[in-house]
Amino acid sequence: MMNRRGRQGNGQRYTSKFPCFLLNGHILAEIGNDRALIDSGALTSLGRNSSFNLGSQRFPLSRDFMGFDVDKLSDLIGMRISVLLGADILSAFDYVIDLENQEFLISIDSIDFQGNVLRSEYFHNIPIIQAKTDKRDVKLFFDTGSKISYLKSNIVLDYPIVGQDTDFYPGFGEFQVDIHDIPFFVAEHSLHQEMGVLPKTLEMTLVTAGIEGILGTPLFDRFKVCFSAKRNQIIINEYKTKSHPV
């Protein structure tokens, strides 16, 4: 396992760099002896222990959230994890998810990362971005813990169904999702996204927050991404190979 500490370039400190990979649509990182699910859409970080060290800092962990613990998450993901790194911890760092090079990079400083800059907001530490369909602007949670991207039903139902998938949400459990093919634009990039519709109960939680959907891990098929809560930015950079990185 890799855990490199030091400085890069103009004095910028890379606190840590760890191997990461995609499994069944979920981003996992090997951090010391722990395997962590990287989940920017989770309000609360979870673990078997009461705390977790990351970037020379110690953070508290909850045992469960709405009836879900890391053992149940492991069953749903299809691989054993010991930590869920949620928005409460991730927002303390600049961090990069680069599946082309299979790296998860965090820094207590701003990371010098080149690409298309998206202005972001934060709702309880969960990042929000602006994107577009071919018909309208949309405001989305950027959730690295969601293997499916979603839009509100009144938007998605205008587009053809191309399949089905299964997803889950803490406190709600597993559910079936119709998948729609939608012309979609992020920054200067055009891409067709396969997007689902959340169950009504979950969709209402988005509406309450003024959000129209969720951008999930399918974006990482094409882009490495830098998250910077301190700068209110998310920066995307297309992989050199322009193909699925794993």
Side-chain angles (χ1 to χ4, degrees):
M1 297 181 186
M2 176 173 53
N3 180 355
R4 191 172 73 193
R5 299 172 184 272
R7 294 182 177 269
Q8 174 155 329
N10 57 2
Q12 175 188 93
R13 288 172 293 174
Y14 277 174
T15 305
S16 301
K17 185 187 289 187
F18 305 101
C20 75
F21 58 97
L22 192 71
L23 177 74
N24 299 329
H26 300 285
I27 298 170
L28 305 175
E30 304 284 357
I31 301 175
N33 294 321
D34 289 289
R35 179 176 294 128
L37 172 66
I38 309 302
D39 190 348
S40 65
L43 293 172
T44 303
S45 296
L46 309 178
R48 292 192 177 86
N49 299 318
S50 61
S51 62
F52 183 70
N53 288 330
L54 186 64
S56 301
Q57 298 183 58
R58 194 165 186 83
F59 296 92
L61 296 175
S62 297
R63 289 287 295 176
D64 68 87
F65 179 73
M66 300 179 69
F68 273 64
D69 58 18
V70 292
D71 291 325
K72 188 161 187 178
L73 288 170
S74 296
D75 292 339
L76 291 166
I77 292 168
M79 178 174 283
R80 184 175 173 82
I81 65 170
S82 52
V83 176
L84 178 147
L85 279 183
D88 54 341
I89 293 178
L90 291 171
S91 61
F93 300 94
D94 273 21
Y95 63 99
V96 173
I97 297 171
D98 178 359
L99 294 180
E100 182 177 44
N101 294 302
Q102 297 189 320
E103 292 179 345
F104 172 59
L105 177 69
I106 67 166
S107 177
I108 58 173
D109 298 323
S110 296
I111 294 177
D112 183 12
F113 186 90
Q114 303 301 311
N116 295 111
V117 178
L118 309 175
R119 298 300 303 172
S120 61
E121 312 170 41
Y122 285 80
F123 179 82
H124 296 294
N125 295 319
I126 300 173
I128 300 168
I129 66 164
Q130 296 280 348
K132 296 180 180 181
T133 71
D134 58 335
K135 298 179 181 179
R136 59 181 292 171
D137 295 339
V138 289
K139 193 174 185 180
L140 309 174
F141 281 132
F142 195 171
D143 183 355
T144 64
S146 181
K147 71 174 186 176
I148 300 173
S149 295
Y150 294 94
L151 281 176
K152 285 172 55 180
S153 54
N154 66 324
I155 302 173
V156 169
L157 296 180
D158 289 338
Y159 300 91
I161 296 174
V162 294
Q164 282 193 328
D165 206 341
T166 303
D167 205 354
F168 65 89
Y169 189 83
F172 192 90
E174 287 190 291
F175 52 89
Q176 288 290 121
V177 181
D178 287 332
I179 301 297
H180 302 252
D181 184 52
I182 299 176
F184 195 74
F185 304 87
V186 177
E188 300 175 3
H189 299 278
S190 172
L191 53 154
H192 272 261
Q193 281 276 285
E194 293 187 348
M195 307 188 83
V197 178
L198 287 167
K200 286 294 183 185
T201 304
L202 297 180
E203 184 173 294
M204 286 305 300
T205 64
L206 297 184
V207 173
T208 301
I211 303 299
E212 295 170 292
I214 295 171
L215 183 62
T217 59
L219 189 77
F220 294 93
D221 289 350
R222 276 184 57 182
F223 300 96
K224 64 181 75 173
V225 181
C226 177
F227 295 78
S228 179
K230 64 175 67 74
R231 289 178 288 169
N232 289 318
Q233 290 182 352
I234 290 172
I235 308 168
I236 64 173
N237 190 319
E238 195 162 17
Y239 297 126
K240 294 177 181 178
T241 58
K242 296 187 179 181
S243 61
H244 197 291
V246 294

